[in-house]
Amino acid sequence: MGKIDNSRRARKKPTAAKAAGPAAARGARMTDVARLAEVSIMTVSRALRHPAVVDPETLKRIHGAINATGYLPNRIAGSLASQRSNIVGLVVPSLRNSLFAETVKGVADTLGADFDLMIADSGYVLDGEETAVAAFLSQRVCGIVLHNTKHTPRTRRLIQSAGIPCVETGNLVRRPIDMVASFSNRKAAFEMTAFLVGKGYRRIAFVSLPLRDNDRARERQSGYLQALKQFGLPVDRRIVLESTPGLRGGAHALIELMKVRPKIEAVFLTGDVLATGALLEANRNGWLVPDTIAIAGSDDNELQECVSPALTSLRFPRYDIGCTAASMLLNRISGNLPAAHIVDLGFQIIPRQST
Amino acid sequence: MGKIDNSRRARKKPTAAKAAGPAAARGARMTDVARLAEVSIMTVSRALRHPAVVDPETLKRIHGAINATGYLPNRIAGSLASQRSNIVGLVVPSLRNSLFAETVKGVADTLGADFDLMIADSGYVLDGEETAVAAFLSQRVCGIVLHNTKHTPRTRRLIQSAGIPCVETGNLVRRPIDMVASFSNRKAAFEMTAFLVGKGYRRIAFVSLPLRDNDRARERQSGYLQALKQFGLPVDRRIVLESTPGLRGGAHALIELMKVRPKIEAVFLTGDVLATGALLEANRNGWLVPDTIAIAGSDDNELQECVSPALTSLRFPRYDIGCTAASMLLNRISGNLPAAHIVDLGFQIIPRQST
DNA sequence: TTGAAAGCGATACCAA
DNA sequence: TTGGTATCGCTTTCAA
């Protein structure tokens, strides 16, 4: 003997204070595990990151020590040391809207347990997005997913100079910050309008969310206008509306549109639950759908299928978009070059009784 | 001259490699800002954390340097050094369900820009929650919000020994891990059942989501049963159902219930969009609501108000719950003792035409 | 297969 | 009001 027993404590803490905080429940550190398992701290680190190169016996001792101490790796320290984090940042326009929830879910499912997800909403405002991105970058996220595809110049600069992968998902832009996984809002709106024209409707109204700071709504309106033009139909600005969101937004829009003369024959409401709101309003007023007024929507969901009459709608692969976005991120994080910077996941028209 | 110019570079990096990674876009560090502003790194740190104690002139120089370098604070390093993070972790049963989105939004809004939000879903499974909590704890979150109030023993132990504040929000439990902000699911179901009894209905069916791992559904069924008992009504197990989620779940449940003899007079569907699904199904079948069958729901929302007939429903203050949960967390993070461990935000019955 | 030492980029404490 | 210095807990690099 002679030497003092150093099997425990050993937390050289010469400085005073801080010794016992309110809870003092400081968890075990890697050092504690190492001491208990009688190996160096490096071996513990390896046991966690590269178990294959560690002797099975040693590994066993280490896991025993981990359980005994209740050790939880400190990823903050790990990230600082390794200069890389396992956090992905995601910005959606609104946390309330279940549309975005699909994409969020796709991202989360694909990231799996090895990555954590940080979420912020922009409130549909470009500056909100910038703030969120700056915060993410401060947390040194390893990748970013943005739903919006219109950004402040600083947002683009921040992400690009951070040098981390980024996937935009809201619209199939030509020049993404880095990568994009989406569908073409313009094309979708064009096709739906064309579908209505094909059904014989001529006076077709269009309703979307406000275009301000919303490139998706903007693209859709543009697709609608483009279709009218292509089919030689006149544009009547009185029947091209921007609406507040919600069922009531759609209801009000329909009421306004029904007052316009000459009467409209069909209306395409895109965004949020506008179309459903319009349909329910038509039902309340006894306006026959599609005979008095045909209604088409977008963002197909169970509700649009269950109302009467069921709504003709556009189906967007939102979940897949989330999965794809996350895959693209993971691929790049693994050090690969992107297979493609622009991925078009497409869309479908689901024809039902409302048209 | 003589001495070598040391105004730039100076990043003593004797070791090779790593010099130029794929992007090499390493951002500026606090040291770089300090050098440019000709102050010590500590002064820069203070300028960011406690600007009040820094000389205004110095502050100005530092901000100039920050802009010039495009410096973004490294919160990983900051958190490690200060032993505290600004990340709050949130676990919801499902990222898809817009019910939870309300609470998430409340939490996010209340946390504000100084905190970041990490989100995970448990998939309605206790082990999923445990995994998420362990991941959060590894990230050293400064607080946790859980929607579920039933947990694995390890989940409770992990949070308690981490010594960080935690708020549960799904149900008003008696013995929370730490704190709870919610309403009583049991009481809400009891009151709604009592309301139906008060309306003269006697044979009242009950539909909820599966009870497994779902304490909220369990509590609601219990409240329903308790009400029947209190009013001296018999329990018929054939009309107490657990349903799959979604509009279709509610629709199927109603179809099953309508086959039971003697006929039921009312049905209370609670959870997800079951009630709306049932109502739409009744409409499709021409069953008059409330004459043939009265329908009551929960989680009141715009849709329940817009269908015909509008649904009688329970309104839960989900957004407020999120706000309150975040406030309770922030309060504790500021070092205060909790004003209350159990906060009951209550609920409301919204009577409409469906009953 | 394992270990020693040098950081990672900030903050805390104390001294000036 | 400002600066020096010792960490924070882990990973990287290199040597054994």
Side-chain angles (χ1 to χ4, degrees), chain B residues 13 30 42 45 49 71 81 84:
Chain B
K13 266 277 193 260
M30 202 175 260
M42 263 320 298
S45 178
R49 300 290 146 238
Y71 172 72
R84 85 184 84 90

Side-chain angles (χ1 to χ4, degrees), chain A residues 30 42 45 49 71 74 77 81 84:
Chain A
M30 202 176 259
M42 263 320 300
S45 178
R49 301 285 148 242
Y71 172 71
N74 184 330
R84 83 183 86 89

Side-chain angles (χ1 to χ4, degrees), chain A residues 64-78:
Chain A
I66 287 178
N67 290 329
T69 54
Y71 172 71
L72 272 184
N74 184 330
R75 291 215 75 93
I76 295 188

Side-chain angles (χ1 to χ4, degrees), chain B residues 146 148-153 156-157 160 166-169 171-181 215 219 341-343:
Chain B
L146 300 177
N148 213 13
T149 45
K150 189 164 185 296
H151 318 283
T152 65
R156 300 188 77 97
R157 214 176 330 118
Q160 282 168 338
C166 168
V167 183
E168 292 162 83
T169 62
N171 187 38
L172 200 71
V173 277
R174 286 172 179 290
R175 295 210 334 86
I177 296 178
D178 179 18
M179 301 177 283
V180 56
D215 46 331
E219 284 290 305
H341 282 271
I342 300 185
V343 178

